[in-house]
Short mmCIF file of all heavy atoms in Angstrom, two decimals:
data_model
loop_
_atom_site.label_atom_id
_atom_site.label_comp_id
_atom_site.label_asym_id
_atom_site.label_seq_id
_atom_site.Cartn_x
_atom_site.Cartn_y
_atom_site.Cartn_z
N THR A 1 -3.93 -22.52 -10.29
CA THR A 1 -3.96 -22.64 -11.79
C THR A 1 -2.77 -23.40 -12.32
O THR A 1 -1.71 -23.36 -11.85
CB THR A 1 -4.01 -21.20 -12.37
OG1 THR A 1 -2.75 -20.54 -12.12
CG2 THR A 1 -5.10 -20.40 -11.82
N VAL A 2 -2.98 -23.97 -13.42
CA VAL A 2 -2.01 -24.46 -14.34
C VAL A 2 -1.78 -23.36 -15.40
O VAL A 2 -2.84 -22.99 -16.07
CB VAL A 2 -2.37 -25.77 -15.08
CG1 VAL A 2 -1.30 -26.18 -16.12
CG2 VAL A 2 -2.51 -26.93 -14.02
N THR A 3 -0.63 -22.81 -15.52
CA THR A 3 -0.41 -21.72 -16.41
C THR A 3 1.08 -21.86 -16.95
O THR A 3 1.64 -22.95 -16.88
CB THR A 3 -0.57 -20.34 -15.71
OG1 THR A 3 -0.44 -19.30 -16.61
CG2 THR A 3 0.34 -20.14 -14.56
N ALA A 4 1.53 -20.79 -17.49
CA ALA A 4 2.94 -20.82 -18.05
C ALA A 4 3.56 -19.41 -17.85
O ALA A 4 2.83 -18.41 -17.67
CB ALA A 4 2.94 -21.19 -19.55
N ASP A 5 4.91 -19.39 -17.94
CA ASP A 5 5.53 -18.09 -17.88
C ASP A 5 5.67 -17.57 -19.33
O ASP A 5 5.18 -18.17 -20.26
CB ASP A 5 6.86 -18.18 -17.15
CG ASP A 5 7.89 -19.03 -17.88
OD1 ASP A 5 7.74 -19.35 -19.12
OD2 ASP A 5 8.89 -19.42 -17.25
N ALA A 6 6.30 -16.41 -19.40
CA ALA A 6 6.33 -15.77 -20.74
C ALA A 6 7.19 -16.62 -21.76
O ALA A 6 6.90 -16.37 -22.90
CB ALA A 6 6.96 -14.37 -20.54
N ASP A 7 8.01 -17.49 -21.28
CA ASP A 7 8.75 -18.39 -22.22
C ASP A 7 8.09 -19.63 -22.46
O ASP A 7 8.65 -20.57 -23.15
CB ASP A 7 10.13 -18.61 -21.60
CG ASP A 7 11.03 -17.33 -21.51
OD1 ASP A 7 10.90 -16.47 -22.41
OD2 ASP A 7 11.75 -17.22 -20.47
N GLY A 8 6.91 -19.87 -21.89
CA GLY A 8 6.17 -21.00 -22.21
C GLY A 8 6.35 -22.18 -21.26
O GLY A 8 5.73 -23.29 -21.38
N GLN A 9 7.15 -22.06 -20.20
CA GLN A 9 7.38 -23.09 -19.22
C GLN A 9 6.15 -23.19 -18.30
O GLN A 9 5.71 -22.24 -17.67
CB GLN A 9 8.56 -22.62 -18.29
CG GLN A 9 8.72 -23.50 -17.10
CD GLN A 9 9.01 -24.91 -17.37
OE1 GLN A 9 9.98 -25.22 -18.18
NE2 GLN A 9 8.27 -25.89 -16.82
N ARG A 10 5.57 -24.40 -18.38
CA ARG A 10 4.35 -24.62 -17.64
C ARG A 10 4.65 -24.62 -16.10
O ARG A 10 5.69 -25.11 -15.68
CB ARG A 10 3.73 -26.00 -18.00
CG ARG A 10 2.28 -26.10 -17.72
CD ARG A 10 1.59 -27.25 -18.53
NE ARG A 10 2.05 -28.58 -18.02
CZ ARG A 10 1.11 -29.56 -17.83
NH1 ARG A 10 -0.06 -29.44 -18.05
NH2 ARG A 10 1.66 -30.76 -17.35
N GLU A 11 3.70 -24.11 -15.36
CA GLU A 11 3.89 -23.94 -13.98
C GLU A 11 2.56 -23.97 -13.23
O GLU A 11 1.46 -23.75 -13.78
CB GLU A 11 4.67 -22.63 -13.63
CG GLU A 11 4.03 -21.43 -14.11
CD GLU A 11 4.79 -20.18 -13.99
OE1 GLU A 11 6.09 -20.35 -13.75
OE2 GLU A 11 4.25 -19.07 -13.94
N LEU A 12 2.60 -24.17 -11.88
CA LEU A 12 1.44 -24.00 -10.94
C LEU A 12 1.54 -22.67 -10.27
O LEU A 12 2.58 -22.26 -9.75
CB LEU A 12 1.45 -25.13 -10.01
CG LEU A 12 1.08 -26.58 -10.52
CD1 LEU A 12 1.19 -27.54 -9.37
CD2 LEU A 12 -0.28 -26.60 -11.12
N LEU A 13 0.51 -21.96 -10.20
CA LEU A 13 0.49 -20.67 -9.66
C LEU A 13 -0.88 -20.38 -9.00
O LEU A 13 -1.94 -20.68 -9.50
CB LEU A 13 0.67 -19.55 -10.75
CG LEU A 13 0.75 -18.11 -10.29
CD1 LEU A 13 2.07 -17.93 -9.46
CD2 LEU A 13 0.75 -17.04 -11.46
N ILE A 14 -0.79 -19.85 -7.77
CA ILE A 14 -2.03 -19.50 -7.03
C ILE A 14 -2.34 -18.04 -7.26
O ILE A 14 -1.52 -17.18 -7.05
CB ILE A 14 -1.84 -19.74 -5.58
CG1 ILE A 14 -1.67 -21.23 -5.28
CG2 ILE A 14 -3.07 -19.28 -4.80
CD1 ILE A 14 -1.31 -21.60 -3.76
N LEU A 15 -3.60 -17.83 -7.77
CA LEU A 15 -4.13 -16.46 -7.84
C LEU A 15 -5.11 -16.24 -6.76
O LEU A 15 -5.93 -17.03 -6.44
CB LEU A 15 -4.83 -16.27 -9.18
CG LEU A 15 -3.95 -16.51 -10.47
CD1 LEU A 15 -4.81 -16.34 -11.68
CD2 LEU A 15 -2.75 -15.67 -10.47
N SER A 16 -4.97 -15.09 -5.99
CA SER A 16 -5.84 -14.88 -4.92
C SER A 16 -6.16 -13.36 -4.76
O SER A 16 -5.21 -12.51 -4.95
CB SER A 16 -5.28 -15.35 -3.55
OG SER A 16 -5.94 -14.83 -2.49
N SER A 17 -7.38 -13.05 -4.41
CA SER A 17 -7.69 -11.60 -4.15
C SER A 17 -7.82 -11.28 -2.71
O SER A 17 -8.23 -10.26 -2.27
CB SER A 17 -9.06 -11.29 -4.87
OG SER A 17 -10.14 -12.02 -4.27
N GLU A 18 -7.46 -12.38 -1.85
CA GLU A 18 -7.52 -12.20 -0.44
C GLU A 18 -6.78 -11.03 0.12
O GLU A 18 -7.32 -10.21 0.86
CB GLU A 18 -6.97 -13.46 0.24
CG GLU A 18 -6.96 -13.36 1.77
CD GLU A 18 -6.05 -14.32 2.46
OE1 GLU A 18 -5.03 -14.63 1.81
OE2 GLU A 18 -6.31 -14.72 3.55
N ALA A 19 -5.54 -10.79 -0.32
CA ALA A 19 -4.66 -9.78 0.29
C ALA A 19 -5.20 -8.38 0.05
O ALA A 19 -4.90 -7.44 0.88
CB ALA A 19 -3.32 -9.96 -0.33
N SER A 20 -5.99 -8.17 -0.95
CA SER A 20 -6.49 -6.78 -1.22
C SER A 20 -7.92 -6.63 -0.96
O SER A 20 -8.57 -5.60 -1.38
CB SER A 20 -6.24 -6.45 -2.75
OG SER A 20 -6.94 -7.31 -3.49
N TRP A 21 -8.56 -7.56 -0.22
CA TRP A 21 -9.97 -7.36 0.06
C TRP A 21 -10.13 -6.01 0.86
O TRP A 21 -9.33 -5.66 1.70
CB TRP A 21 -10.52 -8.43 0.96
CG TRP A 21 -11.92 -8.30 1.33
CD1 TRP A 21 -13.03 -8.57 0.59
CD2 TRP A 21 -12.40 -7.73 2.52
NE1 TRP A 21 -14.13 -8.14 1.24
CE2 TRP A 21 -13.79 -7.63 2.48
CE3 TRP A 21 -11.84 -7.18 3.71
CZ2 TRP A 21 -14.59 -7.12 3.53
CZ3 TRP A 21 -12.63 -6.70 4.67
CH2 TRP A 21 -14.01 -6.68 4.63
N PRO A 22 -11.16 -5.13 0.52
CA PRO A 22 -12.26 -5.38 -0.41
C PRO A 22 -12.12 -4.86 -1.80
O PRO A 22 -13.06 -4.86 -2.62
CB PRO A 22 -13.50 -4.68 0.34
CG PRO A 22 -12.76 -3.44 0.89
CD PRO A 22 -11.38 -3.93 1.29
N GLU A 23 -10.91 -4.46 -2.18
CA GLU A 23 -10.64 -3.88 -3.52
C GLU A 23 -10.80 -4.92 -4.64
O GLU A 23 -11.14 -4.68 -5.72
CB GLU A 23 -9.38 -3.10 -3.65
CG GLU A 23 -9.36 -1.75 -2.81
CD GLU A 23 -9.03 -2.08 -1.39
OE1 GLU A 23 -8.67 -3.21 -1.07
OE2 GLU A 23 -9.03 -1.10 -0.57
N GLY A 24 -10.45 -6.17 -4.27
CA GLY A 24 -10.52 -7.30 -5.26
C GLY A 24 -9.46 -7.22 -6.23
O GLY A 24 -9.58 -7.78 -7.38
N ARG A 25 -8.27 -6.69 -5.95
CA ARG A 25 -7.11 -6.63 -6.90
C ARG A 25 -6.14 -7.81 -6.53
O ARG A 25 -5.84 -8.06 -5.36
CB ARG A 25 -6.34 -5.35 -6.74
CG ARG A 25 -7.17 -4.09 -7.29
CD ARG A 25 -6.42 -2.81 -7.07
NE ARG A 25 -6.31 -2.49 -5.71
CZ ARG A 25 -5.20 -2.53 -5.01
NH1 ARG A 25 -4.14 -3.05 -5.54
NH2 ARG A 25 -5.23 -2.13 -3.76
N LEU A 26 -5.60 -8.40 -7.58
CA LEU A 26 -4.52 -9.41 -7.30
C LEU A 26 -3.27 -8.73 -6.82
O LEU A 26 -2.88 -7.60 -7.37
CB LEU A 26 -4.20 -10.18 -8.62
CG LEU A 26 -5.36 -11.10 -9.09
CD1 LEU A 26 -4.85 -11.79 -10.39
CD2 LEU A 26 -5.72 -12.13 -8.07
N GLN A 27 -2.58 -9.24 -5.79
CA GLN A 27 -1.38 -8.54 -5.23
C GLN A 27 -0.13 -9.24 -5.82
O GLN A 27 -0.13 -10.47 -6.00
CB GLN A 27 -1.41 -8.64 -3.73
CG GLN A 27 -2.57 -7.87 -3.07
CD GLN A 27 -2.38 -6.35 -3.37
OE1 GLN A 27 -1.43 -5.76 -2.86
NE2 GLN A 27 -3.31 -5.74 -4.01
N PHE A 28 0.81 -8.49 -6.09
CA PHE A 28 2.14 -9.00 -6.51
C PHE A 28 3.32 -8.62 -5.61
O PHE A 28 3.23 -7.48 -5.06
CB PHE A 28 2.41 -8.56 -7.89
CG PHE A 28 1.54 -9.03 -8.95
CD1 PHE A 28 0.36 -8.39 -9.32
CD2 PHE A 28 1.73 -10.31 -9.59
CE1 PHE A 28 -0.55 -8.87 -10.28
CE2 PHE A 28 0.76 -10.86 -10.48
CZ PHE A 28 -0.32 -10.11 -10.83
N PRO A 29 4.27 -9.53 -5.25
CA PRO A 29 4.43 -10.74 -5.92
C PRO A 29 3.49 -11.91 -5.30
O PRO A 29 3.16 -11.74 -4.16
CB PRO A 29 5.90 -11.22 -5.62
CG PRO A 29 6.23 -10.45 -4.39
CD PRO A 29 5.45 -9.13 -4.40
N LEU A 30 2.99 -12.71 -6.08
CA LEU A 30 2.18 -13.79 -5.67
C LEU A 30 3.06 -14.90 -5.04
O LEU A 30 4.28 -14.74 -5.09
CB LEU A 30 1.35 -14.38 -6.78
CG LEU A 30 0.41 -13.35 -7.46
CD1 LEU A 30 -0.23 -13.96 -8.71
CD2 LEU A 30 -0.76 -13.00 -6.40
N ALA A 31 2.43 -15.86 -4.50
CA ALA A 31 3.18 -17.05 -4.03
C ALA A 31 4.08 -17.53 -5.18
O ALA A 31 3.68 -17.56 -6.35
CB ALA A 31 2.36 -18.18 -3.48
N ASP A 32 5.32 -18.08 -4.83
CA ASP A 32 6.21 -18.55 -5.85
C ASP A 32 5.66 -19.61 -6.66
O ASP A 32 4.93 -20.62 -6.13
CB ASP A 32 7.49 -19.05 -5.21
CG ASP A 32 8.33 -17.91 -4.61
OD1 ASP A 32 8.13 -16.74 -5.06
OD2 ASP A 32 9.19 -18.15 -3.74
N PRO A 33 5.72 -19.59 -8.01
CA PRO A 33 5.18 -20.64 -8.81
C PRO A 33 6.02 -21.94 -8.65
O PRO A 33 7.24 -21.86 -8.32
CB PRO A 33 5.30 -20.04 -10.22
CG PRO A 33 6.40 -19.06 -10.11
CD PRO A 33 6.33 -18.48 -8.84
N ILE A 34 5.38 -23.07 -9.11
CA ILE A 34 6.16 -24.34 -9.10
C ILE A 34 6.14 -24.75 -10.55
O ILE A 34 5.24 -25.02 -11.14
CB ILE A 34 5.42 -25.39 -8.19
CG1 ILE A 34 5.56 -24.96 -6.65
CG2 ILE A 34 6.08 -26.76 -8.39
CD1 ILE A 34 4.79 -25.83 -5.76
N ARG A 35 7.34 -24.98 -11.01
CA ARG A 35 7.53 -25.43 -12.42
C ARG A 35 7.14 -26.92 -12.49
O ARG A 35 7.46 -27.81 -11.66
CB ARG A 35 8.96 -25.33 -12.91
CG ARG A 35 9.55 -23.89 -12.75
CD ARG A 35 10.87 -23.72 -13.26
NE ARG A 35 10.77 -23.31 -14.70
CZ ARG A 35 11.85 -22.97 -15.48
NH1 ARG A 35 13.08 -23.16 -14.98
NH2 ARG A 35 11.73 -22.63 -16.71
#
């Protein structure tokens, strides 16, 4: 995804439900974002 942090800085971030299969929950921390 192209998203932003709470201060509006645009970044690339991967969202994945792989780590929590089969519950389907996003796990934190995710892979480090790229500004």
Side-chain angles (χ1 to χ4, degrees):
T1 68
V2 175
T3 184
D5 64 17
D7 296 326
Q9 169 64 51
R10 206 164 67 136
E11 59 187 19
L12 290 176
L13 184 68
I14 295 175
L15 305 178
S16 169
S17 61
E18 175 201 30
S20 65
W21 178 82
E23 290 84 7
R25 294 178 288 107
L26 294 179
Q27 294 293 299
F28 294 92
L30 299 170
D32 291 337
I34 295 178
R35 305 186 90 176

